[in-house]
Amino acid sequence: MTNTVTTFQKMKNQGERISMLTAYDYSMAKLIDEAGINGILVGDSVGNVVLGYDDTIPVTMEDMIHHGAAVARGAKNALVVIDMPFMSYQTSIYDAVVNAGRLMKEGGAKAVKLEGGEKVKDQIRAIVDASIPVMGHIGLTPQSINAFGGFKVQGKTEDTAKQLLRDAKAVEEAGAFAVVLECVPEQLAAKVTEELSIPTIGIGAGAGCDGQILVYQDMLGMYSDFSPKFVKRFAEAGLIMNQAFKEYDKEVKEGTFPAKEHCFTMKEEVLDRIY
Ligand code: KIV
């Protein structure tokens, strides 16, 4: 089944939960797509988990287009959403529309995601008016890490909880088709989910959201630099890979790989003629 923004809305209306994972390349997008996951986010988390930066700030439009296009080639049924990187939409409404358009035309996005609530409602409205679906992202928004002073749960006080609700409503009113809630207390995320008519996709926001998203390296145990409390490891793929790499190293050094079945041969008479 091909997933579109309409599928997401239908799933919320029918009380069905939406699954999303991140991906940054063709092979992983194909595997995730074949598992029936509803949506793939080409997150700017590519900066951390693929490019090795400390945060998402250095990620560029070219990075997002490069990885987005690879994912779009691998995903046949999942809705492909590409993140707008830092400073690709904050600077002006014009920049926001031009860059969202590039992610769709050059990156193969079916929708874009951008961080922020009330402050970016005009950008969301303008992008949606250009027929590009937008996913909002509120709560802990990693592009604002320097303003937050670190990775912290958002919306724990009365004032910040009220602001989060205002942000959620602003994103919906601006025309977003869904909104990510990151690192928000579960009770507040459930309240936002109840108040909004568009789907909420949680990451560290509890089971009351309409859907969930995780970074695939986190849920497969492939990224050890930082492991947030909200991550569940569904496999220890990092360990399996490490064992395989060690086995390969051993066999190469022992000379047992490649074996006969991994080799190509040529006719002996041809070989004779080259001496
Ligand atoms: O960049 C990303 O991977 C994200 C998810 C964590 C929601 O924004």
Side-chain angles (χ1 to χ4, degrees):
M1 176 195 74
T2 306
N3 289 271
T4 65
V5 294
T6 321
T7 318
F8 275 39
Q9 188 62 56
K10 268 195 202 139
M11 288 178 78
K12 171 161 181 142
N13 297 349
Q14 291 167 3
E16 278 176 62
R17 296 236 160 86
I18 302 162
S19 57
M20 288 191 75
L21 283 172
T22 64
Y24 317 94
D25 67 47
Y26 173 80
S27 309
M28 192 52 70
K30 244 183 122 180
L31 281 171
I32 292 173
D33 192 74
E34 285 164 7
I37 300 294
N38 298 111
I40 299 182
L41 171 70
V42 187
D44 61 354
S45 50
V46 68
N48 307 86
V49 294
V50 176
L51 302 175
Y53 298 135
D54 288 339
D55 51 45
T56 57
I57 304 298
V59 176
T60 64
M61 276 295 296
E62 273 57 44
D63 292 331
M64 298 314 300
I65 289 169
H66 179 76
H67 290 277
V71 167
R73 287 190 285 271
K76 299 286 170 252
N77 294 314
L79 177 71
V80 176
V81 183
I82 304 185
D83 256 345
M84 299 198 69
F86 185 55
M87 285 299 129
S88 68
Y89 58 94
Q90 290 92 341
T91 41
S92 71
I93 292 173
Y94 176 82
D95 285 350
V97 177
V98 168
N99 285 319
R102 285 193 70 199
L103 293 179
M104 193 172 246
K105 280 175 80 112
E106 300 170 51
K110 295 284 186 274
V112 299
K113 177 166 82 55
L114 56 86
E115 297 181 5
E118 283 183 322
K119 286 184 189 154
V120 292
K121 65 180 183 348
D122 295 339
Q123 280 92 330
I124 296 178
R125 167 60 58 207
I127 298 170
V128 171
D129 283 348
S131 302
I132 301 169
V134 175
M135 177 176 270
H137 182 161
I138 58 172
L140 175 60
T141 45
Q143 291 175 16
S144 305
I145 200 67
N146 293 304
F148 288 146
F151 290 94
K152 295 175 192 150
V153 177
Q154 302 295 307
K156 285 183 103 166
T157 64
E158 184 182 334
D159 283 351
T160 57
K162 282 181 175 159
Q163 183 58 50
L164 192 103
L165 267 167
R166 282 197 294 274
D167 284 333
K169 290 201 171 135
V171 166
E172 172 167 292
E173 276 160 26
F177 75 94
V179 60
V180 168
L181 306 179
E182 178 165 353
C183 282
V184 173
E186 58 179 347
Q187 304 95 319
L188 180 59
K191 170 107 185 110
V192 172
T193 302
E194 203 182 287
E195 298 261 324
L196 294 190
S197 51
I198 58 170
T200 58
I201 309 293
I203 173 161
C209 297
D210 297 304
Q212 298 293 325
I213 183 163
L214 284 175
V215 169
Y216 88 77
Q217 284 91 341
D218 286 341
M219 58 91 76
L220 292 183
M222 291 170 63
Y223 181 74
S224 53
D225 289 9
F226 179 61
S227 187
K229 171 187 161 86
F230 58 75
V231 170
K232 175 177 171 183
R233 287 196 179 182
F234 286 80
E236 291 297 342
L239 277 182
I240 296 171
M241 289 162 87
N242 185 266
Q243 276 160 10
F245 298 148
K246 283 185 176 153
E247 187 61 24
Y248 168 74
D249 180 63
K250 184 168 153 278
E251 290 196 17
V252 167
K253 286 173 180 157
E254 285 172 355
T256 50
F257 175 82
K260 270 277 162 244
E261 66 267 30
H262 308 119
C263 297
F264 304 104
T265 56
M266 62 192 286
K267 292 197 177 105
E268 285 299 323
E269 66 255 33
V270 177
L271 194 60
D272 289 346
R273 285 203 294 272
I274 67 170
Y275 294 117

